[in-house]
């Protein structure tokens, strides 16, 4: 999976990608506990650990969601696979799988953990976080991240000392409507 990082990232507007993609093979959630030899046999890239962002630094990664990493489905946990199965269209399912597999690969490199073994919890504001058991010792600031995707691109922002957010939105062709803004302005 091609990855580009860190800042700055400049995007060139492009039309919405409406290509239909063949479905990635999903295992039923009950088969989530795969034998280790099957995971090891999957063609996952072997790469060295990434240096964590320094204080007040943010690393931003761009992921191409139409090119999922090899073995993407095997990297997901049960809840991610269950959610992927609920997508109606293969294109959206594949992009979800690619985004979450790419996120796991990158975070795994920062933490020097196997991507499929990463565990997440929901934070106080409903945002996913790495489980405290995944974080390094108490002397090291926890790894913070945020994932956003739109059409065929995802952004993953990673920092260590502050909670962060990143957002990406596709440009939609056509004129911009300000009707909703005018209605909002007149009410106040």
């Amino acid at each position: 999976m091609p990855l580009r990082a860190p800042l700055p990232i400049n995007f060139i507007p492009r039309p919405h990608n409406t290509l239909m993609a063949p479905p990635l093979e999903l295992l039923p959630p009950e088969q989530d506990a795969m034998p280790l030899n099957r995971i090891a046999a999957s063609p996952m890239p072997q790469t060295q650990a990434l240096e964590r962002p320094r204080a007040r630094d943010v690393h931003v990664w761009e992921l191409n969601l139409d090119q999922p990493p090899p073995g993407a489905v095997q990297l997901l946990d049960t809840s991610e696979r269950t959610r992927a199965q609920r997508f109606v269209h293969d294109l959206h399912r594949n992009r979800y799988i690619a985004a979450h597999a790419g996120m796991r690969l990158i975070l795994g490199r920062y933490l020097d953990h196997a991507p499929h073994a990463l565990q997440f919890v929901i934070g106080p504001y409903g945002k996913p976080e790495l489980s405290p058991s995944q974080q390094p010792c108490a002397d090291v600031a926890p790894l913070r991240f945020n994932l956003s995707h739109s059409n065929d691109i995802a952004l993953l922002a990673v920092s260590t000392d502050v909670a962060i957010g990143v957002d990406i939105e596709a440009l939609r062709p056509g004129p911009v409507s300000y009707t909703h803004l005018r209605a909002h302005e007149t009410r106040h």
Side-chain angles (χ1 to χ4, degrees):
M1 168 183 251
L3 303 173
R4 289 186 281 191
L7 291 172
I9 296 177
N10 296 316
F11 291 100
I12 298 170
R14 41 190 164 148
H16 175 72
N17 186 346
T18 57
L19 298 174
M20 291 307 290
L24 294 172
E25 182 184 345
L26 281 173
L27 294 175
E30 61 273 5
Q31 292 183 14
D32 186 50
M34 283 186 255
L36 289 177
N37 59 351
R38 184 163 179 199
I39 293 169
S42 67
M44 289 186 265
Q46 300 298 317
T47 53
Q48 64 186 26
L50 291 169
E51 183 178 332
R52 295 165 60 87
R54 287 183 247 148
R56 305 194 55 78
D57 280 354
V58 175
H59 292 183
V60 176
W61 295 82
E62 178 184 344
L63 293 83
N64 180 339
L65 301 182
D66 287 336
Q67 297 178 2
V73 175
Q74 288 84 2
L75 298 176
L76 305 183
D77 67 15
T78 304
S79 65
E80 290 167 317
R81 290 180 192 186
T82 300
R83 184 169 179 196
Q85 288 177 328
R86 289 194 303 252
F87 283 93
V88 175
H89 301 288
D90 291 337
L91 179 66
H92 300 142
R93 179 182 306 111
N94 291 351
R95 287 177 174 173
Y96 171 86
I97 291 168
H100 285 254
M103 174 189 70
R104 286 175 164 277
L105 285 167
I106 292 168
L107 295 177
R109 287 181 60 192
Y110 279 112
L111 296 166
D112 201 21
H113 289 353
H116 66 274
L118 293 177
Q119 297 174 356
F120 300 93
V121 296
I122 301 301
Y125 301 105
K127 190 171 159 183
E129 300 175 353
L130 284 160
S131 169
S133 65
Q134 303 288 298
Q135 299 286 2
C137 63
D139 297 341
V140 179
L143 198 65
R144 311 287 183 131
F145 71 93
N146 188 245
L147 178 69
S148 178
H149 47 85
S150 183
N151 289 341
D152 62 339
I153 299 292
L155 294 180
L156 175 67
V158 182
S159 76
T160 53
D161 56 345
V162 293
I164 55 169
V166 65
D167 194 22
I168 182 172
E169 290 294 330
L171 295 176
R172 290 183 170 73
V176 176
S177 170
Y178 295 101
T179 307
H180 67 283
L181 291 177
R182 278 188 239 127
H184 177 72
E185 290 172 356
T186 58
R187 283 185 275 169
H188 294 288

